Amino acid sequence: MNQHFTRIILLTCGLLCGCSNTQDPGEYAGKLKDRLATDIKENGLKLFTYSARQVDAPTPDSGDAGARPLRAGGGMSPKDRQQAAAHQAQALADWAAQIELGLGKTLEMTGYCRQGYIELYRSIAYGRGEIHGECKEGADAGDRQKFTLQ
């Protein structure tokens, strides 16, 4: 009976979460801590690292480093495991979209990459993420003054 109850709960959660394909950006209001680190090279190359994390997300050293892999067996049917995996994949895709949205808004507010950017590297895990990039335009005197630590 307990396994049946667990399957019903997992199925219900999967169906409810599946109804909302993307999360509203307002849902992360006050729950997101982000940072833009800028790096202007001598030749005018403008690089950046944007990092974000959920305030209430577990940290890697807290013993719960985020999503755990699905266990084989454990009383779940293959269909239930497939639905749970699909839910996890959608949640990660939603989180990645939030990271991209945060980066876009941050670059817009700061004016760092006025002509867009090229993504060099990304690392996204649920609850935290980091995107490294290069601005399409070179640095001018105003950029050097505004974004260079002295």
Side-chain angles (χ1 to χ4, degrees), residues 25-47:
E27 191 170 322
Y28 286 101
K31 299 179 184 178
L32 184 74
K33 182 175 182 178
D34 64 349
R35 178 175 175 266
L36 178 68
T38 61
D39 182 17
I40 298 178
K41 301 295 183 185
E42 297 233 355
N43 64 359
L45 182 68
K46 293 167 55 176
L47 301 171

Side-chain angles (χ1 to χ4, degrees), residues 32-35 50-54 95 98-99 102 125 127-131:
L32 184 74
K33 182 175 182 178
D34 64 349
R35 178 175 175 266
Y50 175 77
S51 56
R53 69 176 178 84
Q54 272 186 269
W95 174 243
Q98 292 300 318
I99 298 286
R128 61 187 180 280
E130 189 171 271
I131 297 177

Side-chain angles (χ1 to χ4, degrees), residues 54-101:
Q54 272 186 269
V55 174
D56 58 352
T59 57
D61 59 345
S62 69
D64 183 10
R68 293 188 173 120
L70 295 173
R71 295 181 184 175
M76 290 178 70
S77 72
K79 184 178 179 181
D80 290 342
R81 283 194 298 273
Q82 185 179 18
Q83 288 176 341
H87 172 66
Q88 284 182 334
Q90 184 61 53
L92 187 59
D94 289 347
W95 174 243
Q98 292 300 318
I99 298 286
E100 292 166 4
L101 179 67

Side-chain angles (χ1 to χ4, degrees), residues 92-112:
L92 187 59
D94 289 347
W95 174 243
Q98 292 300 318
I99 298 286
E100 292 166 4
L101 179 67
L103 171 59
K105 293 290 186 188
T106 299
L107 291 176
E108 182 181 320
M109 287 186 331
T110 62
Y112 189 65

